[in-house]
Amino acid sequence: MFSTLLADFQIIFERDPAARNWLEVLFFYPGLQAIILHRIAHKLYQIGIPFIPRLISFIARFLTGIEIHPGAAIGKGFFIDHGMGVVIGETAIIGDYVLLYQGVTLGGTGKESGKRHPTLGDNVVVGAGAKVLGNIEVGNNVRIGAGSVVLRNVPSHCTVVGVPGRVIYRSGVRVDPLEHGSLPDSEAEVIRALVDRIESLEQQVEQLQHKQIPAPVYHISIAAEEACDALQTQEEIPVTQGAVCQLRNKAIQEFLDGAGI
């Protein structure tokens, strides 16, 4: 148990640049305090002592804001960064060198008995606010993006993002465990693909119309010109014979640009 606690202590200096000396870590890191109390409660829970393990867990939650059921099995090198709002269920199993951020829940999905909480492999990183629910297995070296909701098994060496969580493989690429924020935005990629497809179809329809029907000359009123100008982006789109006012939705464009797509 001492070697496990030592690994829990040392991993903080590896993964948190703000950790400067052992005194600050010992007194001001609720994640470390919570795991120390949990390991004591877990030992008592394993040998069948009633009430006391749950009391220790309750005291740890009161002091740190982190709730870990005494029955949860947690490997060495476990680190909860900041930690407020973290909840770990009774039958959860966590491997070695796992990193959780604030607001993470490793919970169940109902009132079923037996194994009802997740199993996490080694070197797993779970981003802030993510929820991993049910009796599912998350493989080794997995990253779960902030705010994701994971409801299915996750293979090793991949990344999960979204609600519900979707798996994005990154095989062969070493990932820094602290870079859990640099994740692809799969929803933005889908929207980008749909927008590109719509624009392609619009061009095809316009080409077919030019081939089949002579293009009439439209006399656009001043009000119509102003409406077109309001819908256009900063780049001016000329209104020609047979052309319609092309829509370039600024909100969608800003969303896609902000997502880095």
Side-chain angles (χ1 to χ4, degrees):
M1 182 175 176
F2 177 77
S3 61
T4 303
L5 289 174
L6 183 60
D8 296 334
F9 183 77
Q10 291 175 338
I11 198 67
I12 295 175
F13 293 95
E14 297 179 16
R15 294 191 168 181
D16 188 359
R20 291 179 173 80
N21 60 72
W22 66 270
L23 197 60
E24 287 186 1
V25 170
L26 189 61
F27 282 93
F28 305 134
Y29 275 67
L32 177 64
Q33 298 164 359
I35 192 61
I36 290 174
L37 292 173
H38 168 72
R39 296 206 186 280
I40 297 172
H42 184 66
K43 285 293 182 183
L44 299 176
Y45 182 88
Q46 284 183 315
I47 61 180
I49 295 178
F51 185 75
I52 300 299
R54 293 300 301 269
L55 177 62
I56 295 174
S57 174
F58 180 81
I59 293 172
R61 185 182 72 166
F62 178 78
L63 294 175
T64 65
I66 299 170
E67 181 175 354
I68 308 176
H69 193 283
I74 301 177
K76 65 181 180 180
F78 180 66
F79 179 33
I80 302 176
D81 196 2
H82 297 287
M84 181 62 68
V86 169
V87 177
I88 301 176
E90 178 184 9
T91 60
I93 300 174
I94 300 175
D96 297 336
Y97 302 105
V98 171
L99 172 61
L100 305 184
Y101 286 83
Q102 66 272 17
V104 168
T105 298
L106 306 181
T109 56
K111 295 183 178 180
E112 65 274 11
S113 58
K115 183 74 168 68
R116 60 189 184 277
H117 297 103
T119 298
L120 273 60
D122 299 336
N123 301 303
V124 174
V125 178
V126 186
K131 314 299 177 186
V132 186
L133 305 176
N135 182 20
I136 61 175
E137 294 187 4
V138 177
N140 300 326
N141 305 304
V142 169
R143 290 192 304 162
I144 298 175
S148 300
V149 178
V150 182
L151 302 173
R152 298 181 180 179
N153 293 338
V154 180
S156 298
H157 309 289
C158 64
T159 298
V160 177
V161 296
V163 181
R166 292 176 291 274
V167 174
I168 299 174
Y169 291 92
R170 293 269 183 100
S171 38
V173 178
R174 180 176 175 80
V175 177
D176 189 328
L178 294 181
E179 292 183 353
H180 69 287
S182 57
L183 299 172
D185 190 335
S186 55
E187 293 181 359
E189 291 178 353
V190 171
I191 294 174
R192 166 65 73 185
L194 291 174
V195 170
D196 292 342
R197 180 61 176 165
I198 291 171
E199 291 180 352
S200 175
L201 291 173
E202 287 178 344
Q203 292 176 0
Q204 293 179 22
V205 170
E206 186 176 354
Q207 292 175 358
L208 291 174
Q209 289 176 342
H210 280 301
K211 289 180 180 179
Q212 295 177 0
I213 304 174
V217 178
Y218 291 96
H219 299 284
I220 301 178
S221 64
I222 296 176
E225 289 181 354
E226 292 178 351
C228 286
D229 292 340
L231 291 171
Q232 290 172 359
T233 57
Q234 296 178 352
E235 296 182 0
E236 292 293 332
I237 302 175
V239 180
T240 58
Q241 291 185 353
V244 296
C245 182
Q246 300 183 31
L247 297 180
R248 295 291 185 269
N249 193 309
K250 187 177 181 182
I252 293 178
Q253 190 62 44
E254 288 179 351
F255 170 78
L256 296 172
D257 293 340
I261 302 300

